[in-house]
Amino acid sequence: MNAWLDEALTKVAADATALRTVFPGVGRRVGRGPSDTPGWTVDDVARVELLKAAPGAAAEMPDLYRYGDAAEKRAVLRGLSVVDIGDAGLELVADALRTNDTRLVTAAMGEYAAEHLDDAAYRHGVLKCVFMGIPLAEVAGLDRRTDEELLRMMRSFAAERTAAGRDVPADLRPLLTEQDA
């Protein structure tokens, strides 16, 4: 492991407010390339490790998100599923779903969203992913959260795309045919 990260983990374990100073520098210190976790960068992994190490991370996460750059926001969203933040993360997910940044939307639709979003908000997030071309494999909980209303919305989307002579995303077709069978 990176010596700087080891030191940063020790700092945040002793005082969660240290996240405010170490979180922004993670990319410069550990790199920004791909990690062993599919779809995650090295700095995503390091930042989530920092959040897990800080006993008071839940209190810091809203400001880390609010004042962070896109990479920091993405890491906070990824960290929602490993830090007990309760419903306080819903506002962060909602904000990310209002963006047009595919990386933020993808991170927002992780396991935290699958567990905490109400049905309407979850459906909205799934459709946002479909509209933005985010693979449905990136959406956590789709297998257990798909309901008749979401299927209806996806069917309508597919019908509109077909009527307009546009392609229907390939990963949407199997879901609709499985459910219709």
Side-chain angles (χ1 to χ4, degrees):
M1 195 183 274
N2 178 302
W4 177 87
L5 183 57
D6 287 339
E7 184 180 324
L9 288 166
T10 301
K11 281 183 189 176
V12 301
D15 179 10
T17 63
L19 284 166
R20 300 171 193 171
T21 57
V22 298
F23 216 68
V26 170
R28 289 185 305 278
R29 299 299 195 138
V30 302
R32 294 181 176 94
S35 75
D36 293 337
T37 305
W40 287 43
T41 59
V42 174
D43 55 321
D44 285 339
V45 173
R47 284 188 175 106
V48 171
E49 288 301 315
L50 288 166
L51 292 171
K52 287 182 355 186
E60 297 296 321
M61 290 171 79
D63 281 346
L64 292 173
Y65 180 88
R66 184 175 301 112
Y67 300 115
D69 64 15
E72 293 165 56
K73 288 180 180 193
R74 186 177 64 240
V76 169
L77 292 165
R78 292 189 188 287
L80 290 173
S81 63
V82 297
V83 174
D84 184 11
I85 191 169
D87 288 343
L90 290 171
E91 181 183 321
L92 307 180
V93 170
D95 182 75
L97 291 176
R98 286 190 294 270
T99 72
N100 287 320
D101 184 329
T102 57
R103 298 164 304 163
L104 289 181
V105 172
T106 301
M109 289 305 291
E111 193 56 43
Y112 178 86
E115 294 292 327
H116 289 85
L117 289 180
D118 65 32
D119 291 340
Y122 184 79
R123 289 183 204 116
H124 163 77
V126 172
L127 284 177
K128 176 103 180 191
C129 289
V130 171
F131 276 106
M132 294 181 76
I134 296 168
L136 290 177
E138 298 290 327
V139 177
L142 193 58
D143 56 334
R144 65 184 186 274
R145 294 290 307 262
T146 298
D147 60 10
E148 203 47 51
E149 179 60 13
L150 179 57
L151 289 172
R152 184 198 64 73
M153 294 164 83
M154 288 189 201
R155 284 185 200 106
S156 294
F157 172 79
E160 288 174 19
R161 298 280 296 195
T162 301
R166 301 180 79 194
D167 290 335
V168 174
D171 61 348
L172 185 59
R173 289 184 187 272
L175 180 66
L176 294 176
T177 35
E178 282 175 21
Q179 299 295 325
D180 290 337

